[in-house]
Amino acid sequence: MGYDIHRLEEGRKLVLGGVEIPHTRGLAGHSDGDVLIHAIIDALLGACTQGDIGQHFPDDDPKYKDIASVELLSQIRGLVAKMGRIEHIDCTVVAEAPKLAPHIEDVRRKLGEVLELTDDKISVKAKTAEGLGPVGEGKAIEAYAVALVDL
Ligand code: MG
């Protein structure tokens, strides 16, 4: 399983699951701040007992500054492919705004491309935090992911 949270900031693009989503703010981070991809990477690494995203892509390494997180996911896909086969990925993004429902299919398609998975093997869900906590107040977006990997 993987989890991540990033702050929303002015002057950044909002990228979720490798898809740019129109919004007034974007996610802060050393990379593009793609919280969904970071959660998926941690889920995949966890399934393979390969540590976490920070060990593979340190956030003080200039090499990863502003990198598209799909690039990181692609590298992790290569690592996982040496160890086994991804059977299924399920994720939930929690965001107060913008409405993610219109973008879910684009996100599933993008993740399927990067992970070389058919779309029956990748599920993305979105919900709000009902106005509660920093996510509910629109200060951050968080994501949860579960990966099933046949080793
Ligand atoms: Mg992150």
Side-chain angles (χ1 to χ4, degrees):
M1 70 87 64
Y3 166 80
D4 201 15
I5 183 166
H6 281 243
R7 288 172 194 276
L8 280 160
E9 255 182 25
E10 306 276 339
R12 301 261 308 173
K13 287 178 184 168
L14 178 60
V15 182
L16 287 172
V19 175
E20 198 178 316
I21 294 175
H23 193 43
T24 51
R25 291 172 298 157
L27 294 170
H30 184 64
S31 64
D32 61 1
D34 192 328
V35 69
L36 174 55
I37 285 187
H38 297 178
I40 292 171
I41 286 174
D42 264 358
L44 288 169
L45 289 172
C48 299
T49 327
Q50 291 295 311
D52 64 30
I53 188 170
Q55 289 169 265
H56 290 262
F57 309 110
D59 67 5
D60 55 2
D61 188 334
K63 196 163 58 179
Y64 303 120
K65 177 96 178 88
D66 294 326
I67 194 168
S69 295
V70 287
E71 299 294 327
L72 309 179
L73 183 59
S74 180
Q75 285 185 42
I76 294 301
R77 190 205 67 81
L79 176 78
V80 174
K82 286 184 200 150
M83 302 184 68
R85 188 179 68 235
I86 302 171
E87 285 294 338
H88 194 265
I89 290 179
D90 186 23
C91 331
T92 298
V93 181
V94 193
E96 211 62 16
K99 278 238 171 298
L100 298 178
H103 306 285
I104 291 289
E105 289 309 310
D106 285 348
V107 169
R108 289 181 64 229
R109 200 173 308 120
K110 182 69 181 183
L111 292 172
E113 264 172 45
V114 178
L115 291 169
E116 298 177 17
L117 289 176
T118 51
D119 72 352
D120 57 328
K121 290 181 181 282
I122 183 137
S123 157
V124 179
K125 308 183 297 300
K127 61 197 294 148
T128 72
E130 297 279 338
L132 298 167
V135 174
E137 289 162 10
K139 293 178 182 162
I141 291 179
E142 63 187 347
Y144 301 82
V146 172
L148 183 63
V149 177
D150 189 5
L151 297 173

